[in-house]
Amino acid sequence: MASVQPFEYDTAIKDLADSSNLKAVPSKFNFTNEPSALSSDSLPIIDFSALTEDDPDKRSGAIRALGKACQEWGFFILVNHGIPEALMNATFSATKEFFNLPDAEKKQYEAKSASDPIKCGNFNVTNTSNQTFTLWRDYLKLYAHPEFHCPLKPAVLREVLLEYTERTRGLARKLVEAISDNLELEKNYVDEVLKMDSSFQLFATNLYPPCPQPDQAIGIPPHTDPGLFTFLIHNGVAGLQIEHDGHWFKVDSPQNSILVNAADQLEIFTNGRCKSVKHRAIVNKERERISIVVANGPSKEAVVGPAAPLVEKDDRALYRSMKYIEYVEAQLVKSRVNGKQILEQMMID
């Protein structure tokens, strides 16, 4: 069984990559992969402003388009979302400052358990052949809601992340409402079951330095995300690939847009109508890549299973129920390299 050990802080990958004599990937990073993928310009584009339209016909059309995107691709590009480009740029600048801190400053946030509200470092992964390797990335993760946690340095980080996570949380809430409307679920029912007022939000930023052998290392192996909707922006350097119809596709997003994917609890709650699909982050030789990720979920205490009205329509539940925080922590320590093990375990045969 594959596992992930995220709870150690080693020398930053960034510092290693900056070494002028680094010509090959050290053995501990060895992960033979095939980073090539097909290009795609078919990823759905969802206009957020249309989802909040007063015109019922325009809003209905946008809601149908969102439902189709979540069902067919599990990913879409969100435009006209209302988050200022200046705030997005400030988020990149503040997180880059964090990664540039001395290792001694960052090491205090080395995680001791899956439930630590702030953690940074790099991941070691053990695959199904019992081989352990380190991911080619440095990361910072923090809990943003219902309680906000943040490193003390750099000083600008707290203010910027507070605003960015608050705005993205509002977007996620609207997207959940739109999906609920598309499935003809009552808003009060969704809020009550998922306990959205105390939604659990996780902020993460990943730094992928240039890699001398991109085919011998990986940023993040194939996986799916816990939660309802995950938001991703990057610093202009693409690296995300998604699985669709049995093939890997390169994914990019226009400037000031947000790449959004349906996550595991949305697939479970909709009884399989929305799809949480595998995706991975590859690395490159030339340019440093930074991604900003916000995972928006239900409450930590919400027990998430298929929505009762949908089970009634379908005559059966396709997934088991589980408390959300238990699912998140199980995925952190038990996820495997090739597949979405935890989500598959939730499926009822």
Side-chain angles (χ1 to χ4, degrees), residues 67-74 179 182-183 185 228 262-277 304-311 313-314 316-320 340 343 346-348:
K68 184 178 180 182
C70 291
Q71 180 177 2
E72 295 182 356
W73 277 88
I179 286 292
N182 187 57
L183 298 177
L185 297 173
L228 298 169
D264 293 357
Q265 271 59 42
L266 191 66
E267 177 170 331
I268 292 170
F269 186 69
T270 62
N271 211 28
R273 288 165 174 79
C274 296
K275 303 301 181 186
S276 178
V277 303
V304 182
L310 301 182
V311 172
K313 284 183 181 180
D314 300 339
R316 63 182 291 246
L318 301 180
Y319 303 84
R320 298 177 177 84
K340 45 185 183 182
L343 183 57
M346 300 298 291
M347 296 177 180
I348 299 174

Side-chain angles (χ1 to χ4, degrees), residues 181-207:
D181 286 349
N182 187 57
L183 298 177
E184 299 179 339
L185 297 173
E186 293 290 338
K187 179 180 180 299
N188 289 342
Y189 169 80
V190 174
D191 285 349
E192 181 179 341
V193 171
L194 300 181
K195 306 181 189 300
M196 293 301 293
D197 286 340
S198 57
S199 62
F200 180 53
Q201 187 184 48
L202 175 71
F203 173 92
T205 179
N206 304 296
L207 185 147

Side-chain angles (χ1 to χ4, degrees), residues 60-291:
S60 294
I63 287 173
R64 286 194 300 271
L66 174 64
K68 184 178 180 182
C70 291
Q71 180 177 2
E72 295 182 356
W73 277 88
F75 271 81
F76 56 90
I77 296 170
L78 191 67
V79 299
N80 297 325
H81 46 71
I83 297 182
E85 187 172 4
L87 176 58
M88 297 167 84
N89 291 337
T91 305
F92 281 112
S93 296
T95 55
K96 183 70 178 292
E97 281 190 49
F98 176 84
F99 286 124
N100 285 337
L101 290 173
D103 278 356
E105 293 277 1
K106 292 178 285 189
K107 191 175 177 62
Q108 64 182 301
Y109 301 110
E110 175 186 4
K112 304 301 187 294
S113 74
S115 59
D116 284 359
I118 305 174
K119 39 191 171 276
C120 73
N122 30 68
F123 275 76
N124 287 337
V125 176
T126 302
N127 63 19
T128 50
S129 301
N130 207 32
Q131 298 169 315
T132 298
F133 59 92
T134 302
L135 303 184
W136 193 266
R137 66 153 184 174
D138 296 321
Y139 75 91
L140 167 67
K141 292 186 177 183
L142 56 90
Y143 293 175
H145 192 263
E147 299 88 22
F148 182 81
H149 302 266
C150 188
L152 297 177
K153 294 181 181 178
V156 68
L157 189 64
R158 182 180 185 86
E159 180 181 353
V160 169
L161 296 193
L162 263 173
E163 182 176 359
Y164 185 71
T165 55
E166 181 179 358
R167 285 178 176 266
T168 51
R169 195 161 59 249
L171 293 179
R173 187 81 176 255
K174 291 292 186 183
L175 291 178
V176 171
E177 289 176 7
I179 286 292
S180 302
D181 286 349
N182 187 57
L183 298 177
E184 299 179 339
L185 297 173
E186 293 290 338
K187 179 180 180 299
N188 289 342
Y189 169 80
V190 174
D191 285 349
E192 181 179 341
V193 171
L194 300 181
K195 306 181 189 300
M196 293 301 293
D197 286 340
S198 57
S199 62
F200 180 53
Q201 187 184 48
L202 175 71
F203 173 92
T205 179
N206 304 296
L207 185 147
Y208 308 95
C211 178
Q213 295 176 294
D215 62 338
Q216 297 296 315
I218 190 134
I220 306 179
H223 66 287
T224 62
D225 298 337
L228 298 169
F229 284 107
T230 302
F231 294 169
L232 182 144
I233 58 176
H234 60 73
N235 65 334
V237 181
L240 184 71
Q241 297 181 351
I242 68 173
E243 192 176 52
H244 179 68
D245 288 342
H247 300 284
W248 286 101
F249 287 86
K250 302 174 186 176
V251 174
D252 201 0
S253 48
Q255 185 174 354
N256 202 34
S257 66
I258 300 174
L259 192 61
V260 182
N261 65 278
D264 293 357
Q265 271 59 42
L266 191 66
E267 177 170 331
I268 292 170
F269 186 69
T270 62
N271 211 28
R273 288 165 174 79
C274 296
K275 303 301 181 186
S276 178
V277 303
K278 293 180 197 174
H279 47 287
R280 65 187 182 188
I282 62 166
V283 294
N284 73 85
K285 275 187 176 182
E286 293 81 22
R287 300 178 64 190
E288 178 181 86
R289 177 172 183 258
I290 298 177
S291 66

